[in-house]
Structures are given as C-alpha cells and as structure tokens.
Amino acid sequence: MSASCGVVECVFVLGCARWLWKRCTYVGNYDSATWPAATADEFDPVPRVCRLILANYDPDLRNPQYYKPAPGHRLNPDWLEKRVTYEDTLGHAPPYLIYLDHEHKEIVLAVRGLNLVNESDYKVLLDNRLGQQMFDGGYVHRGLLKSAQWLLNRESETLKRLWLENGSEYDMVFTGHSLGSGVVSLLTILVVNHRDGLGGIPKEKIRCYAVAPARCMSLNLAVKYANVIHSVVLQDDFLPRTPTPLEDIFKSIFCLPCLLLLVCLRDTFIPEGRKLRDPRRLYAPGRMYHIVERKFCRCGRFPPEVRTAIPVDGRFEHIVLSCNATSDHGIIWIEREAEKALQLMKGKSSETVTEPPTVQKFERLKTIEKEHRDALERAVSLNVPHAVDSAEEETAEKNEGEEASDSGNNNVSSTQSKSSDRRSNWDEVVEKLLKKSKTVELNHE
C-alpha cells in the first residue's frame, strides 16, 4: 500500500514539475513561431501612430516633455486639428487628439491608454459583465462600446468635414493604446457599418491600429474585421493574453503577477475546443502584428522582427510568466521597438529587391485578402459561434455598399434646409446592430 502511494506521489510531483517547467520556459516568441514575416509597407504606419498616441501625453508638441529623444514626436504642431482632455470628455472616454497628416494623406484619431490615477477610466472598464452586451452578431465590452459611441457622436462631424475638405482622398485612421485600443476597435466597427456617417468614405480607406490591444470582442468579430483592424503586440505583453475580464485585471493591477499566475493555472485545465466554442470569451481584435525581440535562454534584446497573421485557434491564449509582461505593455517601448523593426525591414527589402515595388505591394495585398478569407473559413470549420464564411461576408459587404450608395443618393437629393437634421446619430447605428445581434441569437437557438 505504501509503495503504491509513493508511486502516485512521484507521478504527481513529476507531473507538477513538468507543468511548471513548460509554463516557466514558455516565451512570447512561441505564440507566432509559425507566422510569416510582415513587410515594411504594411507595417510602416505603426511607429507613426504610436508617436501620435504619445502626443496625447504632451500638452505642447513644440516642447515635448515625455518624449524627448531626437527628433521627438516628428509631428507638425500646425496639423493638430483638435486635442481633447479629461476635462472635455467628462469621463465618457480617454483623452484623444485629431491630427491631419498631409504628408501621408491621413486623418488620424488617436486615443491614449489607461490612466491609473483617473477614476473615469475605471468606470469605463467596470461597465461590463461577461456576455452582457451582444453586438453585430458577437459580444463586445459594454463600457468600451459606450465610450466609442459617445466619441463618434461628438467627433463624427469633425472627421466628416476634414475628409470632405481634403477632396475625399485621405485615409481615415483610428488608433489607441491599451484602454484606447478597445475604444477605437469598437468605434471602427461602428464606422464600417455606417460609412455614410463620415461622408460615404469607402471601406478600403478605413484603418484601425490597436496598440497593446485589450480583449474587447468575441472571436467571430475579431476575425470578421481583420481586414480593417490591426493589433500590435510587443513580445510578452500581458493584456492581449489575459482572458480575465478587463475590469478584473485592473482591479488587481497592483498584484498583477499573482493574477497572471492564477489565470495560468486555471486555463491549464480548460480544453482549447471549449475556449473556441465560448461565444462570450473576448479576444484581441483583427490581424495581429507580433514584435519579437527576445528568445528562450538568450540574454538581452535581439534585433526585433515582426510577424503577422490572422490566427483563429491559438490566438495569444498562453499567459507568459515573464518579468517583461508589464514593461512590454508600455507605449514608449512599443514605439521604439516598432521603429527599429521597420528600419530593419526597409534595409532588408532594399538589399533583396527582385521585382518592382508596385508589383510586390499588389501581390502582398492579394495575400492579405486570401489570409482573411482563409481565417473566416477556419473559424467556421472550428464551429466558432456566429462565425460566417467568406461568401456570406462578401454578400453582406455588397448589400451594405448598395445601401450606402442609395443613402448617399438620397442625401444629395435632399434640400439644404434639412442638412442639420441629417447629422449622424450613432445611437441609432448601435441600436441597429443590437437588433441584428438579437436576430442572430434567435436563429442559433
């Protein structure tokens, strides 16, 4: 009897030791080990939008206080269209700015990240319960959706005016860090579903960059909008990997290592299939760009490389027990490593040019479209709740385009006296998407 008990104890100890070894030696590099490398053209905007997010922290762009390394923010202060602080938002959204980038022909809305000493940011986070808000055929974070809705009701006319005044040629770029990344991701979904609210802007001119992204939407939505939303993750960043609701993460921000360890233990016993079939489980949105700069059993930082994919299963599901899990979340580090990676990519591409850049860019765009279609099909094959295949998605986009065209023709034929009544009410857009979600939910019951 004692011998058998000893054997059981040995097996248990060995099992625990094996699990501990695998968890402690798991590095962020493994999450994207099979992903292809990103190109310089597609990654080029990332350092630029990071600098725009950082500009939210400096009240005077001519004399930056928090980002002093030369050449500073590299922004033209005269192109700053609008800056909104906590006093202006009244707690409805984090501070943000609107920047008119004439050099790259972009209208940029940049939202800053969480302020640990500002209680209004916590109110946005805490306004949620798991699975409380179904939206556009999936689930989203309720507080972040309300913040995005408020921001559009306030700034959509400004964005629309800037786009029309510049010949309807500029791209519309939404970007945010941490808390702000969740706001702009859901804001992008609203805009894509009601492009007429910004002057009928084409979908291909809308882009979103979620830097150090929060888990704010269900898997079917994360894959569906991967052609417009791009998430940027630096190595071991904890936030995209933590399935615990955002409100619980930031309640425990001062004991974050303990929380990460407990989440790691819990998720060990949850099968991958069960995670995928949970419709209320939230994920980081869109296409993923993973900046990798450290490897297992190697000291120091290596020249950063960027990998990209639209993962469905294995979408940053493993907690990394690393001393860099929180520092990799910082926007300053992300900007610096993104800039280094971009310069390295440009150097390599200039050395290995075998065909014209326009041909390379066209082929890469075709590859990106194919990767999105493949990801949609993969989500359907894995029985992800409410996932739609590529054919259904293309049909839906075609119908939306026809509706937008009809709406635009009606607006042109309307009289000037009614122009004030045609202001976009984003509350109605949200209601429309909520009704769509209820219909989808009934069809799946």
Side-chain angles (χ1 to χ4, degrees):
M1 183 67 179
S2 60
S4 62
C5 290
V7 171
V8 171
E9 288 178 2
C10 288
V11 171
F12 178 77
V13 170
L14 287 173
C16 291
R18 180 178 179 274
W19 176 87
L20 187 63
W21 170 256
K22 290 183 68 176
R23 294 312 308 166
C24 292
T25 58
Y26 189 91
V27 293
N29 174 46
Y30 297 160
D31 284 322
S32 57
T34 60
W35 297 5
T39 62
D41 283 335
E42 62 182 302
F43 194 71
D44 182 72
V46 173
R48 190 164 67 246
V49 299
C50 287
R51 289 190 286 271
L52 278 164
I53 295 169
L54 279 165
N56 278 288
Y57 296 84
D58 274 316
D60 185 3
L61 294 185
R62 300 181 190 278
N63 300 292
Q65 298 177 10
Y66 304 107
Y67 193 78
K68 294 184 180 180
H73 294 295
R74 308 182 197 177
L75 305 178
N76 186 339
D78 297 329
W79 294 350
L80 182 63
E81 183 71 21
K82 192 172 187 178
R83 179 193 292 275
V84 178
T85 63
Y86 279 110
E87 289 75 16
D88 302 315
T89 64
L90 301 176
H92 294 289
Y96 60 90
L97 59 82
I98 298 176
Y99 184 77
L100 191 57
D101 190 342
H102 293 291
E103 181 181 356
H104 301 95
K105 292 190 174 182
E106 294 174 344
I107 301 165
V108 187
L109 171 66
V111 185
R112 63 159 284 172
L114 177 77
N115 186 343
L116 291 175
V117 299
N118 192 289
E119 65 177 30
S120 64
D121 284 0
Y122 289 97
K123 289 180 179 178
V124 173
L125 287 171
L126 295 172
D127 184 13
N128 190 56
R129 290 196 303 273
L130 191 61
Q132 180 181 14
Q133 188 68 74
M134 193 174 187
F135 176 79
D136 192 24
Y139 285 90
V140 298
H141 187 283
R142 175 184 169 88
L144 296 177
L145 175 61
K146 289 171 66 177
S147 184
Q149 183 179 345
W150 178 88
L151 203 158
L152 274 176
N153 276 325
R154 179 185 173 103
E155 300 298 348
S156 61
E157 289 300 312
T158 301
L159 297 172
K160 178 179 178 180
R161 174 180 59 80
L162 291 173
W163 191 68
L164 294 175
E165 285 179 355
N166 289 278
S168 303
E169 295 179 352
Y170 282 29
D171 288 350
M172 191 72 67
V173 178
F174 305 113
T175 185
H177 170 250
S178 189
L179 175 67
S181 70
V183 174
V184 296
S185 296
L186 299 181
L187 180 150
T188 301
I189 293 179
L190 291 174
V191 171
V192 167
N193 281 278
H194 186 50
R195 300 192 298 276
D196 189 57
L198 294 186
I201 184 171
K203 185 177 180 179
E204 57 269 19
K205 286 188 173 293
I206 301 171
R207 284 178 287 130
C208 172
Y209 293 94
V211 183
R215 288 188 167 224
C216 58
M217 62 182 69
S218 55
L219 185 55
N220 65 315
L221 295 181
V223 174
K224 177 181 177 180
Y225 290 100
N227 56 346
V228 288
I229 302 177
H230 311 83
S231 288
V232 182
V233 180
L234 176 59
Q235 186 80 23
D236 299 334
D237 187 359
F238 74 95
L239 193 58
R241 294 180 168 88
T242 311
T244 302
L246 286 177
E247 59 271 23
D248 293 339
I249 293 175
F250 290 101
K251 282 179 193 173
S252 309
I253 192 70
F254 299 107
C255 191
L256 190 58
C258 303
L259 176 67
L260 295 180
L261 181 59
L262 291 173
V263 171
C264 182
L265 285 169
R266 184 197 67 186
D267 282 1
T268 301
F269 303 101
I270 302 177
E272 185 71 23
R274 180 179 170 188
K275 296 176 185 177
L276 291 174
R277 289 190 295 271
D278 183 0
R280 293 171 172 80
R281 188 179 178 89
L282 302 183
Y283 292 81
R287 170 178 284 275
M288 312 300 295
Y289 288 90
H290 193 200
I291 305 173
V292 177
E293 57 175 2
R294 292 184 297 274
K295 299 179 181 179
F296 180 58
C297 287
R298 305 284 184 89
C299 297
R301 296 174 183 265
F302 284 73
E305 58 178 296
V306 183
R307 305 163 182 170
T308 181
I310 308 176
V312 180
D313 45 340
R315 191 182 181 87
F316 287 97
E317 286 298 303
H318 297 286
I319 298 293
V320 178
L321 300 178
S322 164
C323 58
N324 299 295
T326 53
S327 62
D328 284 350
H329 187 67
I331 182 65
I332 289 183
W333 278 113
I334 296 172
E335 189 277 330
R336 290 177 182 174
E337 297 306 315
E339 181 64 30
K340 288 180 188 177
L342 178 62
Q343 296 308 319
L344 288 171
M345 284 190 282
K346 287 182 176 179
K348 289 179 181 178
S349 62
S350 63
E351 294 173 359
T352 58
V353 172
T354 57
E355 53 188 11
T358 52
V359 175
Q360 290 181 335
K361 190 172 182 179
F362 177 76
E363 289 181 350
R364 179 55 184 158
L365 288 174
K366 289 294 184 183
T367 303
I368 288 174
E369 291 175 2
K370 182 179 183 301
E371 289 176 359
H372 186 224
R373 290 194 299 270
D374 291 344
L376 290 169
E377 299 293 343
R378 176 69 173 165
V380 173
S381 68
L382 291 173
N383 296 319
V384 173
H386 313 310
V388 295
D389 58 27
S390 56
E392 291 180 61
E393 178 65 13
E394 289 173 2
T395 302
E397 287 186 5
K398 183 178 179 181
N399 293 337
E400 288 172 5
E402 292 174 354
E403 289 177 7
S405 177
D406 293 341
S407 177
N409 292 335
N410 292 335
N411 284 344
V412 170
S413 62
S414 298
T415 60
Q416 188 68 24
S417 61
K418 294 183 180 179
S419 60
S420 60
D421 296 332
R422 291 201 310 268
R423 291 191 59 182
S424 299
N425 188 338
W426 295 93
D427 298 333
E428 295 177 1
V429 179
V430 172
E431 288 297 325
K432 178 182 176 182
L433 292 172
L434 289 174
K435 289 178 181 178
K436 176 182 176 181
S437 298
K438 291 177 180 177
T439 303
V440 170
E441 193 171 25
L442 288 173
N443 290 338
H444 282 79
E445 287 181 352

